[in-house]
Amino acid sequence: MGNDARPQAGIRGLETRSIDYVPLAERHGVVWHQGPFWFTGGFVLPSMLIGFIGPSMGLGLIWSIIGVVTGMAFGTLFMALHANQGPRLGLPQMIQSRAQFGARGAMFPMAVAIFIYVGYNVFYFILSTEAIDTVVPGGKIWYVLFGLLAVGIAIVGHDLLHVFQRWSSFIILVVFAVLTVVVIVKYAAAGAPPRATGWAFTPFLVQFAAAGGYQISYAIYVSDYSRYLPEDAPVKKLIGWTFIGGLAGAGWLACLGSLFATYVAASDPIVAMHEVGNLVFPGFGIIAVLASVPPMIGTSGVNAYGAMLTGATIADGIRHVRPGVRTRVLGLLIVGVATIVVSVAIPDNYLNAFNTFLGVMVYLLVPWTAVNLVDFYLVRRGHYSVTDIVDPRGAYGQWSARGLTAYFAGFLAMVPFFSLSFYLGPVTRALGGADLSFVVGLLVSGLLYWLISRQRAGQSFPAEIAADPTRVTT
């Protein structure tokens, strides 16, 4: 029976699992719910900022939107492919890296993932505070409240995160549909003079690359939220709903950002939403701004949950961690406190440097996703021993030369393509600032890993499967 025929159980109380395997008897959920989950995950203000890039460089609206959509479609495809790993393995996303890098070798990409999780949450807290301050000024006290809300949702666990994201998607659909229609009718259709009309290859590449790299950054936690689905969840539907949700949410908001940047004299998305919203009726601008906050709080909970799972996996690789509620709650409290402290401590004028830091983290992530996907789809073809993945002393060992070699080779190949505040790679300089490093990293790491592992491609790994009573295969 396909997964779509199984009822969604909603919130089944406090989640008891953390980094351990989800038994088949506990599997539940509906495949299409991945759509609204990832829609809301991408419907956050940083996505809108992606759409500002093309027009700010003089790129016309149509070409900016094409760059956004094609770039995000490319990046979302890689992100969505990870969704299939959840129900097949019943494990969180990053712990699966032990099969490619070894229990100790996987700690490096895991540490990178934690920095990305915390970094994005700091950004969400800052933007949410700016939004709330338009109604009820509170300054940095909002960071504490947002941290408590995000951690509280994540403590209840997987099911509440899904429900919160799903219902948030329905709310923002209505508000932002109105906002989108208004900006089209009042500006674009009315013949308002655009701030940018031109075409140039370099700005288009910059817009494409920014959109694609942004979407790939979601790859680190995709199967965290599909691992409770039944093992027989239809592959095409699962990947399809994840792709549609991820692309629709981030893509819509980024395209709206391109519209704002083209027609509205405001470089800040919150100011632009407020100005355009008030064209509906005075006060609707505030409604639009406030509607942007729930997705960022929910997605902060999603990030905190992923950081907890990844941190617990790192700790388990050093000394055995007993999975369960206690581990999850303690990990979430640590992540929440760390995020609040960084949010409160960071000065406003450090935000550009902070964005550079996040950029470096994404560079470090791209080779991981290439190795992880090639291993799952082309080398082992879904055949793993879950018992040995969750055991840091299991058959996958402490270090894997194949995975680590492909990872660092891909990262080094990306260096000439970097675009950072303190370093501009020679190739990127020649392209006028277009950062295509994520394409290079995917190709080099993925191809190299397949070449040095191809002798094992298609093997059924009978010893590994026999060691695992769940016989997790595809």
Side-chain angles (χ1 to χ4, degrees):
M1 182 184 295
N3 182 69
D4 285 319
R6 305 187 189 202
Q8 165 69 9
I11 303 171
R12 296 187 168 188
L14 188 68
E15 183 184 4
T16 60
R17 301 285 170 188
S18 57
I19 60 174
D20 46 333
Y21 172 75
V22 180
L24 299 182
E26 296 180 19
R27 302 296 184 88
H28 61 282
V30 182
V31 166
W32 75 262
H33 286 176
Q34 297 293 314
F37 181 88
W38 292 110
F39 176 88
T40 303
F43 214 91
V44 288
L45 292 185
S47 299
M48 186 180 287
L49 290 171
I50 294 294
F52 275 71
I53 293 173
S56 71
M57 298 181 68
L59 193 63
L61 175 63
I62 299 301
W63 288 113
S64 294
I65 289 176
I66 292 173
V68 163
V69 173
T70 55
M72 286 193 168
F74 182 84
T76 307
L77 175 61
F78 289 91
M79 166 260 191
L81 288 171
H82 287 285
N84 187 38
Q85 296 171 321
R88 312 309 159 196
L89 301 181
L91 292 172
Q93 187 68 71
M94 293 305 294
I95 196 171
Q96 299 168 23
S97 305
R98 287 176 173 177
Q100 297 95 48
F101 301 98
R104 294 293 177 94
M107 289 182 183
F108 179 72
M110 289 179 190
V112 171
I114 291 176
F115 281 118
I116 292 174
Y117 286 130
V118 173
Y120 271 123
N121 273 7
V122 169
F123 202 13
Y124 293 158
F125 287 2
I126 291 172
L127 289 172
S128 296
T129 295
E130 289 181 10
I132 292 290
D133 274 347
T134 61
V135 182
V136 184
K140 295 186 177 182
I141 191 65
W142 290 117
Y143 299 159
V144 178
L145 179 60
F146 295 145
L148 292 174
L149 287 172
V151 169
I153 294 169
I155 283 176
V156 177
H158 171 276
D159 290 347
L160 180 56
L161 287 164
H162 261 282
V163 169
F164 189 93
Q165 294 292 81
R166 186 162 63 253
W167 284 102
S168 293
S169 72
F170 300 147
I171 296 170
I172 59 181
L173 265 172
V174 175
V175 174
F176 280 86
V178 172
L179 201 65
T180 303
V181 170
V182 169
V183 74
I184 292 174
V185 171
K186 295 291 187 178
Y187 290 92
R195 300 174 67 195
T197 59
W199 152 261
F201 186 60
T202 294
F204 180 81
L205 274 183
V206 172
Q207 181 67 87
F208 173 89
Y214 175 74
Q215 287 299 88
I216 287 178
S217 69
Y218 284 89
I220 52 178
Y221 53 7
V222 176
S223 73
D224 292 354
Y225 304 98
S226 63
R227 75 189 198 277
Y228 276 89
L229 287 172
E231 190 181 27
D232 63 349
V235 176
K236 291 182 180 178
K237 288 184 178 180
L238 176 56
I239 294 174
W241 277 112
T242 304
F243 177 85
I244 291 170
L247 177 59
W252 179 0
L253 215 57
C255 289
L256 187 58
S258 293
L259 278 162
F260 285 160
T262 301
Y263 291 108
V264 184
S267 58
D268 186 310
I270 294 174
V271 174
M273 284 192 296
H274 190 267
E275 178 179 331
V276 173
N278 281 339
L279 294 175
V280 180
F281 59 79
F284 188 80
I286 292 295
I287 295 174
V289 169
L290 293 180
S292 70
V293 175
M296 288 193 285
I297 293 175
T299 305
S300 294
V302 169
N303 288 339
Y305 184 90
M308 170 274 299
L309 292 173
T310 306
T313 303
I314 292 176
D316 183 66
I318 300 171
R319 183 177 179 180
H320 175 63
V321 171
R322 184 176 180 179
V325 175
R326 184 174 180 274
T327 293
R328 196 162 52 78
V329 172
L330 179 60
L332 283 167
L333 291 175
I334 293 172
V335 171
V337 169
T339 306
I340 292 171
V341 168
V342 174
S343 301
V344 171
I346 188 170
D348 292 341
N349 60 351
Y350 277 24
L351 282 179
N352 288 334
F354 194 69
N355 290 336
T356 298
F357 164 76
L358 286 178
V360 173
M361 293 297 102
V362 173
Y363 290 151
L364 291 167
L365 163 68
V366 167
W368 166 82
T369 197
V371 170
N372 183 264
L373 288 176
V374 168
D375 186 65
F376 184 84
Y377 286 100
L378 300 180
V379 178
R380 301 185 195 271
R381 300 182 184 175
H383 294 71
Y384 295 85
S385 165
V386 170
T387 302
D388 287 305
I389 289 179
V390 299
D391 181 2
R393 293 162 295 282
Y396 296 107
Q398 298 290 299
W399 306 89
S400 174
R402 290 191 303 274
L404 292 168
T405 298
Y407 176 93
F408 285 108
F411 180 78
L412 291 174
M414 293 167 65
V415 173
F417 297 82
F418 283 178
S419 178
L420 298 165
S421 60
F422 59 88
Y423 172 76
L424 191 66
V427 178
T428 298
R429 190 181 301 111
L431 292 173
D435 180 357
L436 295 175
S437 58
F438 75 98
V439 178
V440 175
L442 289 170
L443 288 173
V444 173
S445 288
L447 182 60
L448 180 58
Y449 185 77
W450 182 80
L451 288 173
I452 60 182
S453 305
R454 67 186 186 279
Q455 70 275 14
R456 304 190 69 185
Q459 294 179 12
S460 60
F461 307 107
E464 295 178 10
I465 295 172
D468 177 21
T470 63
R471 290 182 60 84
V472 177
T473 62
T474 57

